[in-house]
């Protein structure tokens, strides 16, 4: 169940992040941060289903770019590169969340061994 949930959350998070970035971002850096920072939290929460979460993110960004194409026409030549870079950075942030999760688990295991 968590794997299916990771797909859905990844898709919805990336679709929502791209939508918020398109509405509220003032420059490229804020677009990238709006797309990547929420992914760190989800990378931590879905650390045990990280591949499914990443595939869900890809699905979400593809659906958003398709919706953007239907609404505005072929603007993907401009925005596609930015969203692609945002997706890659979001994957990096998800791996950072995963690394924090692994660090926490290893630290808990080390604490149990001392006792």
């Amino acid at each position: 169940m968590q794997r299916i949930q990771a797909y859905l959350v990844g898709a919805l998070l990336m679709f929502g992040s791209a939508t918020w970035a398109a509405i509220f971002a003032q420059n490229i850096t804020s677009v990238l941060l709006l797309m990547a920072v929420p992914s760190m939290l989800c990378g931590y929460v879905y650390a045990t289903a990280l591949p499914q979460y990443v595939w869900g993110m890809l699905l979400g960004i593809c659906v958003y770019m398709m919706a953007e194409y239907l609404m505005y026409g072929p603007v993907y030549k401009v925005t596609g590169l930015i969203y692609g870079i945002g997706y890659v950075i979001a994957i990096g942030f998800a791996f950072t969340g995963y690394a924090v999760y692994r660090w926490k688990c290893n630290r808990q295991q080390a604490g149990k061994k001392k006792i």
Side-chain angles (χ1 to χ4, degrees):
M1 184 65 179
Q2 187 182 14
R3 292 178 184 209
I4 295 170
Q5 188 179 13
Y7 278 119
L8 293 174
V9 168
L12 291 174
L13 181 76
M14 193 54 74
F15 185 87
S17 294
T19 303
W20 280 75
I23 294 170
F24 294 112
Q26 299 295 322
N27 55 23
I28 293 172
T29 305
S30 58
V31 170
L32 297 178
L33 287 176
L34 278 170
M35 290 179 69
V37 170
S39 187
M40 186 184 300
L41 175 65
C42 286
Y44 177 80
V45 172
Y46 294 105
T48 57
L50 194 63
Q52 289 79 17
Y53 172 69
V54 171
W55 281 109
M57 287 186 342
L58 181 62
L59 175 68
I61 197 68
C62 289
V63 168
Y64 178 77
M65 289 181 70
M66 185 175 68
E68 189 177 64
Y69 176 77
L70 292 174
M71 287 188 288
Y72 305 119
V75 296
Y76 58 86
K77 294 178 183 176
V78 176
T79 61
L81 180 64
I82 301 301
Y83 291 139
I85 293 169
Y87 172 72
V88 170
I89 292 173
I91 291 173
F93 273 60
F95 281 129
T96 303
Y98 174 75
V100 170
Y101 173 80
R102 294 298 304 158
W103 174 77
K104 183 189 95 168
C105 289
N106 288 339
R107 190 166 179 205
Q108 286 177 347
Q109 289 295 328
K112 288 180 182 178
K113 288 180 182 178
K114 284 184 177 181
I115 296 175

